[in-house]
Amino acid sequence: GAGVSQSPRYKVAKRGQDVALRCDPISGHVSLFWYQQALGQGPEFLTYFQNEAQLDKSGLPSDRFFAERPEGSVSTLKIQRTQQEDSAVYLCASSPPLAGASNEQFFGPGTRLTVL
Amino acid sequence: LAKTTQPISMDSYEGQEVNITCSHNNIATNDYITWYQQFPSQGPRFIIQGYKTKVTNEVASLFIPADRKSSTLSLPRVSLSDTAVYYCLVAGGSYIPTFGRGTSLIVHP
């Protein structure tokens, strides 16, 4: 694939519904990041995977947020019992094997979640 | 995590050179400085990265003084399509990059 893809691009949920957001990273990229971006703000770190291992989930705002990457490629961010404050753009990024913050991250277009 | 400070917004005109300065006083020895560009409804896109002195690519230049407590992104001869938000990040020792609010650059005709 040409780049990181995310689906769906837009998601509208009623408060209390569960949602699942998908990220397809660039093939061969070891590191995968999830970010939350509120309107007018910069992306905020949520969680980080190296292959299938979730090495850091310190940015997840509550236990309603859960991320997985079971086979070390595709990742899913799940939000249970959505609240209005969850409305944001959720960005996924991947990095090549020489992982680390000093390396370039390739971002997907994001999923815009609106909770009514 | 190293904190960065950059102007919230800047205005320029087509054809001008734009310099955006970022302060990062508590940068660590193993930290790199990275700049990203973000257009509306898109994810951020890597522009340039450096450790010290000057780095230049086909898009921009990055100037880093010896003390590394600041850096300046230079965009030569901007066009309308350079209107975007520009983020300065400092990371390396920690893999968690901190984006901040970025600088919103508006290029006028």
Side-chain angles (χ1 to χ4, degrees):
Chain A
V4 178
S5 61
Q6 294 186 245
S7 61
R9 289 295 313 277
Y10 303 91
K11 177 68 178 178
V12 178
K14 292 183 179 179
R15 190 161 56 100
Q17 281 185 332
D18 297 348
V19 298
L21 312 180
R22 177 187 170 108
C23 172
D24 286 80
I26 294 173
S27 177
H29 278 195
V30 168
S31 298
L32 186 145
F33 300 79
W34 281 99
Y35 296 86
Q36 180 190 60
Q37 185 171 27
L39 188 64
Q41 305 294 319
E44 291 199 6
F45 170 82
L46 293 177
T47 187
Y48 161 66
F49 289 86
Q50 192 167 71
N51 295 307
E52 68 279 4
Q54 188 175 21
L55 299 186
D56 192 313
K57 54 182 180 180
S58 62
L60 297 178
S62 78
D63 58 7
R64 297 186 294 104
F65 287 70
F66 173 77
E68 60 183 6
R69 194 186 185 197
E71 298 179 357
S73 55
V74 172
S75 178
T76 303
L77 176 67
K78 298 179 180 178
I79 309 173
Q80 297 177 324
R81 306 180 302 282
T82 54
Q83 304 294 315
Q84 285 188 325
E85 62 261 29
D86 299 335
S87 295
V89 175
Y90 291 86
L91 293 163
C92 174
S94 67
S95 287
L98 290 177
S102 61
N103 285 336
E104 176 180 355
Q105 293 191 19
F106 295 79
F107 281 81
T111 294
R112 181 177 296 278
L113 173 65
T114 302
V115 181
L116 304 177
Chain B
L1 299 175
K3 181 180 177 180
T4 60
T5 303
Q6 53 184 122
I8 292 177
S9 65
M10 294 183 68
D11 288 86
S12 184
Y13 292 89
E14 284 190 290
Q16 289 189 334
E17 177 184 79
V18 171
N19 296 307
I20 306 174
T21 297
C22 178
S23 298
H24 27 80
N25 291 319
N26 59 340
I27 188 170
T29 302
N30 55 353
D31 282 341
Y32 284 76
I33 300 155
T34 310
W35 286 80
Y36 283 83
Q37 174 193 56
Q38 186 176 29
F39 297 113
S41 300
Q42 295 185 25
R45 182 177 71 103
F46 174 91
I47 301 175
I48 197 167
Q49 182 180 84
Y51 184 80
K52 61 180 179 181
T53 62
K54 177 184 175 182
V55 179
T56 297
N57 61 22
E58 65 277 6
V59 177
S61 294
L62 179 59
F63 298 91
I64 306 168
D67 65 6
R68 304 202 326 125
K69 293 184 182 300
S70 67
S71 59
T72 298
L73 174 73
S74 181
L75 305 172
R77 299 179 300 281
V78 294
S79 64
L80 296 177
S81 62
D82 293 316
T83 293
V85 178
Y86 292 83
Y87 296 97
C88 164
L89 281 72
V90 173
S94 163
Y95 50 74
I96 303 176
T98 302
F99 276 80
R101 292 191 63 179
T103 297
S104 177
L105 172 66
I106 298 176
V107 179
H108 303 275

Short mmCIF file of all heavy atoms in Angstrom, two decimals, chain B residues 15-61:
data_model
loop_
_atom_site.label_atom_id
_atom_site.label_comp_id
_atom_site.label_asym_id
_atom_site.label_seq_id
_atom_site.Cartn_x
_atom_site.Cartn_y
_atom_site.Cartn_z
N GLY B 15 5.76 34.00 -2.11
CA GLY B 15 7.09 34.36 -2.54
C GLY B 15 8.05 34.75 -1.44
O GLY B 15 9.26 34.83 -1.67
N GLN B 16 7.52 34.98 -0.24
CA GLN B 16 8.38 35.37 0.87
C GLN B 16 8.99 34.15 1.55
O GLN B 16 8.49 33.03 1.41
CB GLN B 16 7.60 36.18 1.91
CG GLN B 16 7.21 37.56 1.44
CD GLN B 16 6.64 38.40 2.56
OE1 GLN B 16 6.09 37.88 3.53
NE2 GLN B 16 6.76 39.72 2.45
N GLU B 17 10.06 34.37 2.27
CA GLU B 17 10.65 33.33 3.11
C GLU B 17 10.01 33.42 4.48
O GLU B 17 9.83 34.50 5.03
CB GLU B 17 12.16 33.53 3.23
CG GLU B 17 12.84 32.52 4.15
CD GLU B 17 14.33 32.79 4.32
OE1 GLU B 17 14.67 33.70 5.11
OE2 GLU B 17 15.13 32.10 3.67
N VAL B 18 9.66 32.27 5.03
CA VAL B 18 9.03 32.22 6.35
C VAL B 18 9.94 31.47 7.31
O VAL B 18 10.42 30.37 6.99
CB VAL B 18 7.65 31.54 6.28
CG1 VAL B 18 7.11 31.29 7.68
CG2 VAL B 18 6.68 32.38 5.49
N ASN B 19 10.15 32.05 8.47
CA ASN B 19 10.94 31.42 9.51
C ASN B 19 10.09 31.22 10.76
O ASN B 19 9.55 32.18 11.29
CB ASN B 19 12.18 32.27 9.85
CG ASN B 19 13.11 32.38 8.68
OD1 ASN B 19 13.52 31.39 8.09
ND2 ASN B 19 13.46 33.61 8.32
N ILE B 20 9.96 30.01 11.20
CA ILE B 20 9.19 29.69 12.41
C ILE B 20 10.17 29.16 13.45
O ILE B 20 10.85 28.16 13.23
CB ILE B 20 8.11 28.64 12.14
CG1 ILE B 20 7.21 29.07 10.98
CG2 ILE B 20 7.27 28.43 13.40
CD1 ILE B 20 6.20 28.01 10.56
N THR B 21 10.23 29.86 14.58
CA THR B 21 11.17 29.48 15.63
C THR B 21 10.47 28.71 16.75
O THR B 21 9.36 29.06 17.14
CB THR B 21 11.88 30.72 16.21
OG1 THR B 21 12.64 31.33 15.16
CG2 THR B 21 12.82 30.33 17.33
N CYS B 22 11.13 27.72 17.23
CA CYS B 22 10.60 26.87 18.31
C CYS B 22 11.62 26.87 19.46
O CYS B 22 12.82 26.70 19.22
CB CYS B 22 10.40 25.46 17.77
SG CYS B 22 9.80 24.27 18.97
N SER B 23 11.14 27.08 20.66
CA SER B 23 12.00 27.03 21.84
C SER B 23 11.85 25.69 22.54
O SER B 23 10.72 25.22 22.71
CB SER B 23 11.64 28.15 22.82
OG SER B 23 11.85 29.41 22.23
N HIS B 24 12.97 25.11 22.93
CA HIS B 24 12.94 23.83 23.65
C HIS B 24 14.10 23.84 24.63
O HIS B 24 15.14 23.18 24.42
CB HIS B 24 13.00 22.62 22.69
CG HIS B 24 13.69 22.88 21.38
ND1 HIS B 24 15.06 22.89 21.24
CD2 HIS B 24 13.16 23.15 20.17
CE1 HIS B 24 15.35 23.13 19.99
NE2 HIS B 24 14.24 23.30 19.31
N ASN B 25 13.93 24.59 25.72
CA ASN B 25 15.01 24.85 26.66
C ASN B 25 15.53 23.60 27.37
O ASN B 25 16.69 23.55 27.76
CB ASN B 25 14.56 25.89 27.69
CG ASN B 25 14.39 27.26 27.07
OD1 ASN B 25 15.19 27.68 26.26
ND2 ASN B 25 13.34 27.95 27.46
N ASN B 26 14.66 22.62 27.58
CA ASN B 26 15.11 21.45 28.34
C ASN B 26 15.32 20.24 27.44
O ASN B 26 15.09 19.10 27.83
CB ASN B 26 14.12 21.11 29.46
CG ASN B 26 12.72 20.83 28.93
OD1 ASN B 26 12.38 21.24 27.83
ND2 ASN B 26 11.90 20.15 29.71
N ILE B 27 15.81 20.49 26.24
CA ILE B 27 16.09 19.40 25.31
C ILE B 27 17.19 18.51 25.88
O ILE B 27 18.16 18.99 26.48
CB ILE B 27 16.48 19.96 23.92
CG1 ILE B 27 16.58 18.84 22.90
CG2 ILE B 27 17.77 20.78 24.01
CD1 ILE B 27 16.73 19.35 21.47
N ALA B 28 17.03 17.21 25.71
CA ALA B 28 18.00 16.25 26.23
C ALA B 28 19.06 15.93 25.18
O ALA B 28 18.85 16.14 23.99
CB ALA B 28 17.28 14.97 26.67
N THR B 29 20.17 15.39 25.66
CA THR B 29 21.30 15.11 24.78
C THR B 29 20.92 14.20 23.61
O THR B 29 21.41 14.39 22.49
CB THR B 29 22.44 14.45 25.57
OG1 THR B 29 22.82 15.33 26.63
CG2 THR B 29 23.64 14.18 24.68
N ASN B 30 20.05 13.24 23.85
CA ASN B 30 19.71 12.29 22.79
C ASN B 30 18.42 12.64 22.06
O ASN B 30 17.87 11.82 21.33
CB ASN B 30 19.65 10.87 23.34
CG ASN B 30 18.70 10.76 24.51
OD1 ASN B 30 18.19 11.77 24.99
ND2 ASN B 30 18.44 9.55 24.97
N ASP B 31 17.93 13.85 22.24
CA ASP B 31 16.72 14.28 21.56
C ASP B 31 17.02 14.81 20.16
O ASP B 31 18.01 15.50 19.95
CB ASP B 31 16.01 15.39 22.34
CG ASP B 31 15.23 14.87 23.52
OD1 ASP B 31 14.92 13.66 23.55
OD2 ASP B 31 14.92 15.68 24.42
N TYR B 32 16.14 14.50 19.22
CA TYR B 32 16.16 15.09 17.89
C TYR B 32 15.04 16.13 17.79
O TYR B 32 14.09 16.11 18.56
CB TYR B 32 15.93 14.02 16.82
CG TYR B 32 17.13 13.16 16.56
CD1 TYR B 32 17.51 12.16 17.44
CD2 TYR B 32 17.90 13.35 15.41
CE1 TYR B 32 18.61 11.37 17.20
CE2 TYR B 32 19.01 12.56 15.16
CZ TYR B 32 19.36 11.58 16.06
OH TYR B 32 20.45 10.80 15.83
N ILE B 33 15.17 17.03 16.84
CA ILE B 33 14.16 18.04 16.60
C ILE B 33 13.51 17.73 15.25
O ILE B 33 14.20 17.59 14.24
CB ILE B 33 14.78 19.45 16.56
CG1 ILE B 33 15.45 19.74 17.91
CG2 ILE B 33 13.72 20.50 16.23
CD1 ILE B 33 16.56 20.77 17.81
N THR B 34 12.20 17.59 15.28
CA THR B 34 11.46 17.20 14.09
C THR B 34 10.33 18.18 13.85
O THR B 34 9.67 18.62 14.79
CB THR B 34 10.89 15.78 14.26
OG1 THR B 34 11.90 14.88 14.71
CG2 THR B 34 10.31 15.27 12.95
N TRP B 35 10.10 18.49 12.61
CA TRP B 35 8.99 19.37 12.23
C TRP B 35 8.01 18.61 11.34
O TRP B 35 8.42 17.87 10.43
CB TRP B 35 9.50 20.61 11.49
CG TRP B 35 10.17 21.60 12.39
CD1 TRP B 35 11.44 21.55 12.87
CD2 TRP B 35 9.58 22.80 12.91
NE1 TRP B 35 11.69 22.65 13.67
CE2 TRP B 35 10.58 23.44 13.70
CE3 TRP B 35 8.34 23.42 12.79
CZ2 TRP B 35 10.34 24.64 14.37
CZ3 TRP B 35 8.11 24.62 13.43
CH2 TRP B 35 9.10 25.21 14.22
N TYR B 36 6.73 18.81 11.64
CA TYR B 36 5.66 18.23 10.84
C TYR B 36 4.75 19.33 10.32
O TYR B 36 4.63 20.40 10.93
CB TYR B 36 4.82 17.26 11.69
CG TYR B 36 5.45 15.91 11.92
CD1 TYR B 36 6.38 15.73 12.94
CD2 TYR B 36 5.11 14.82 11.13
CE1 TYR B 36 6.95 14.48 13.16
CE2 TYR B 36 5.68 13.57 11.35
CZ TYR B 36 6.61 13.41 12.37
OH TYR B 36 7.18 12.18 12.58
N GLN B 37 4.08 19.05 9.21
CA GLN B 37 3.13 19.96 8.59
C GLN B 37 1.78 19.25 8.56
O GLN B 37 1.71 18.05 8.26
CB GLN B 37 3.60 20.27 7.16
CG GLN B 37 2.65 21.10 6.32
CD GLN B 37 3.08 21.07 4.86
OE1 GLN B 37 3.22 20.02 4.26
NE2 GLN B 37 3.33 22.24 4.29
N GLN B 38 0.71 19.98 8.87
CA GLN B 38 -0.60 19.37 8.82
C GLN B 38 -1.59 20.27 8.11
O GLN B 38 -1.78 21.44 8.48
CB GLN B 38 -1.13 19.05 10.22
CG GLN B 38 -2.45 18.27 10.21
CD GLN B 38 -2.92 17.86 11.59
OE1 GLN B 38 -2.63 18.52 12.58
NE2 GLN B 38 -3.68 16.76 11.66
N PHE B 39 -2.22 19.71 7.07
CA PHE B 39 -3.31 20.39 6.36
C PHE B 39 -4.64 19.95 6.98
O PHE B 39 -4.73 18.88 7.60
CB PHE B 39 -3.29 20.03 4.88
CG PHE B 39 -2.05 20.46 4.16
CD1 PHE B 39 -1.15 19.52 3.67
CD2 PHE B 39 -1.76 21.80 3.97
CE1 PHE B 39 0.00 19.91 3.00
CE2 PHE B 39 -0.60 22.21 3.31
CZ PHE B 39 0.28 21.25 2.83
N PRO B 40 -5.67 20.75 6.81
CA PRO B 40 -6.98 20.38 7.35
C PRO B 40 -7.43 19.01 6.82
O PRO B 40 -7.21 18.69 5.65
CB PRO B 40 -7.90 21.50 6.84
CG PRO B 40 -6.99 22.67 6.66
CD PRO B 40 -5.69 22.10 6.20
N SER B 41 -8.00 18.23 7.68
CA SER B 41 -8.55 16.91 7.35
C SER B 41 -7.50 15.91 6.89
O SER B 41 -7.82 14.93 6.22
CB SER B 41 -9.64 17.04 6.26
OG SER B 41 -10.69 17.85 6.70
N GLN B 42 -6.25 16.18 7.24
CA GLN B 42 -5.19 15.23 6.94
C GLN B 42 -4.35 14.98 8.18
O GLN B 42 -4.34 15.80 9.11
CB GLN B 42 -4.28 15.75 5.82
CG GLN B 42 -4.96 15.89 4.47
CD GLN B 42 -3.99 16.28 3.38
OE1 GLN B 42 -2.79 16.03 3.48
NE2 GLN B 42 -4.50 16.90 2.33
N GLY B 43 -3.62 13.86 8.18
CA GLY B 43 -2.68 13.63 9.25
C GLY B 43 -1.41 14.45 9.04
O GLY B 43 -1.13 14.91 7.94
N PRO B 44 -0.64 14.67 10.11
CA PRO B 44 0.62 15.40 9.96
C PRO B 44 1.57 14.71 8.99
O PRO B 44 1.54 13.48 8.84
CB PRO B 44 1.19 15.39 11.39
CG PRO B 44 0.01 15.21 12.28
CD PRO B 44 -0.92 14.32 11.51
N ARG B 45 2.41 15.52 8.36
CA ARG B 45 3.38 14.99 7.40
C ARG B 45 4.76 15.47 7.79
O ARG B 45 4.97 16.66 8.04
CB ARG B 45 3.02 15.47 6.00
CG ARG B 45 3.92 14.95 4.89
CD ARG B 45 3.42 15.45 3.54
NE ARG B 45 3.64 16.87 3.34
CZ ARG B 45 4.61 17.39 2.59
NH1 ARG B 45 5.47 16.59 1.99
NH2 ARG B 45 4.73 18.70 2.44
N PHE B 46 5.71 14.56 7.85
CA PHE B 46 7.09 14.88 8.20
C PHE B 46 7.67 15.88 7.20
O PHE B 46 7.50 15.74 5.98
CB PHE B 46 7.91 13.58 8.17
CG PHE B 46 9.39 13.75 8.36
CD1 PHE B 46 9.93 13.69 9.62
CD2 PHE B 46 10.24 13.94 7.27
CE1 PHE B 46 11.31 13.81 9.81
CE2 PHE B 46 11.60 14.08 7.44
CZ PHE B 46 12.13 14.01 8.72
N ILE B 47 8.34 16.92 7.74
CA ILE B 47 9.03 17.88 6.87
C ILE B 47 10.53 17.69 6.95
O ILE B 47 11.20 17.51 5.93
CB ILE B 47 8.71 19.33 7.27
CG1 ILE B 47 7.22 19.63 7.20
CG2 ILE B 47 9.47 20.31 6.36
CD1 ILE B 47 6.89 21.03 7.70
N ILE B 48 11.07 17.76 8.17
CA ILE B 48 12.52 17.77 8.31
C ILE B 48 12.88 17.41 9.75
O ILE B 48 12.08 17.59 10.66
CB ILE B 48 13.09 19.15 7.92
CG1 ILE B 48 14.59 19.10 7.66
CG2 ILE B 48 12.74 20.20 8.98
CD1 ILE B 48 15.12 20.37 6.96
N GLN B 49 14.08 16.87 9.91
CA GLN B 49 14.56 16.49 11.24
C GLN B 49 16.04 16.82 11.34
O GLN B 49 16.78 16.68 10.35
CB GLN B 49 14.34 15.00 11.49
CG GLN B 49 14.76 14.52 12.86
CD GLN B 49 14.52 13.02 13.02
OE1 GLN B 49 15.32 12.19 12.64
NE2 GLN B 49 13.38 12.70 13.59
N GLY B 50 16.46 17.24 12.54
CA GLY B 50 17.88 17.53 12.73
C GLY B 50 18.30 17.33 14.16
O GLY B 50 17.47 17.25 15.07
N TYR B 51 19.61 17.30 14.36
CA TYR B 51 20.16 17.19 15.71
C TYR B 51 20.93 18.47 16.07
O TYR B 51 20.79 18.99 17.18
CB TYR B 51 21.08 15.97 15.81
CG TYR B 51 21.61 15.74 17.19
CD1 TYR B 51 20.82 15.12 18.16
CD2 TYR B 51 22.89 16.17 17.56
CE1 TYR B 51 21.29 14.92 19.44
CE2 TYR B 51 23.36 15.98 18.84
CZ TYR B 51 22.56 15.35 19.77
OH TYR B 51 23.03 15.16 21.05
N LYS B 52 21.75 18.94 15.15
CA LYS B 52 22.48 20.19 15.39
C LYS B 52 22.86 20.82 14.06
O LYS B 52 22.68 20.22 12.99
CB LYS B 52 23.73 19.93 16.23
CG LYS B 52 24.73 19.00 15.59
CD LYS B 52 25.93 18.81 16.49
CE LYS B 52 26.93 17.85 15.87
NZ LYS B 52 28.11 17.64 16.74
N THR B 53 23.30 22.03 14.12
CA THR B 53 23.70 22.88 12.98
C THR B 53 22.56 23.05 11.98
O THR B 53 21.49 23.47 12.35
CB THR B 53 24.97 22.34 12.30
OG1 THR B 53 24.74 21.04 11.76
CG2 THR B 53 26.10 22.27 13.31
N LYS B 54 22.81 22.74 10.73
CA LYS B 54 21.82 23.03 9.70
C LYS B 54 21.52 21.78 8.88
O LYS B 54 22.43 21.02 8.54
CB LYS B 54 22.34 24.14 8.78
CG LYS B 54 21.42 24.47 7.61
CD LYS B 54 22.06 25.51 6.68
CE LYS B 54 21.21 25.75 5.44
NZ LYS B 54 21.83 26.73 4.52
N VAL B 55 20.25 21.62 8.60
CA VAL B 55 19.80 20.53 7.72
C VAL B 55 18.96 21.14 6.63
O VAL B 55 18.13 22.03 6.89
CB VAL B 55 18.99 19.48 8.51
CG1 VAL B 55 18.52 18.37 7.58
CG2 VAL B 55 19.79 18.93 9.67
N THR B 56 19.13 20.68 5.42
CA THR B 56 18.34 21.19 4.29
C THR B 56 17.85 20.03 3.45
O THR B 56 18.59 19.09 3.20
CB THR B 56 19.19 22.15 3.42
OG1 THR B 56 19.58 23.27 4.21
CG2 THR B 56 18.38 22.65 2.23
N ASN B 57 16.58 20.12 3.04
CA ASN B 57 16.07 19.17 2.07
C ASN B 57 15.33 19.94 0.99
O ASN B 57 15.43 21.18 0.91
CB ASN B 57 15.21 18.08 2.73
CG ASN B 57 13.99 18.63 3.44
OD1 ASN B 57 13.52 19.73 3.13
ND2 ASN B 57 13.47 17.88 4.39
N GLU B 58 14.60 19.25 0.16
CA GLU B 58 13.95 19.90 -0.97
C GLU B 58 12.79 20.79 -0.56
O GLU B 58 12.29 21.57 -1.36
CB GLU B 58 13.47 18.85 -1.98
CG GLU B 58 12.38 17.92 -1.46
CD GLU B 58 12.93 16.75 -0.64
OE1 GLU B 58 14.14 16.73 -0.37
OE2 GLU B 58 12.12 15.89 -0.26
N VAL B 59 12.37 20.66 0.69
CA VAL B 59 11.19 21.40 1.16
C VAL B 59 11.57 22.57 2.05
O VAL B 59 10.97 23.64 1.96
CB VAL B 59 10.25 20.46 1.93
CG1 VAL B 59 9.06 21.23 2.49
CG2 VAL B 59 9.77 19.32 1.04
N ALA B 60 12.54 22.35 2.95
CA ALA B 60 12.81 23.35 3.98
C ALA B 60 14.23 23.24 4.48
O ALA B 60 14.97 22.32 4.12
CB ALA B 60 11.84 23.14 5.15
N SER B 61 14.58 24.20 5.34
CA SER B 61 15.85 24.15 6.06
C SER B 61 15.57 24.23 7.55
O SER B 61 14.57 24.85 7.97
CB SER B 61 16.77 25.30 5.65
OG SER B 61 17.16 25.18 4.31
#
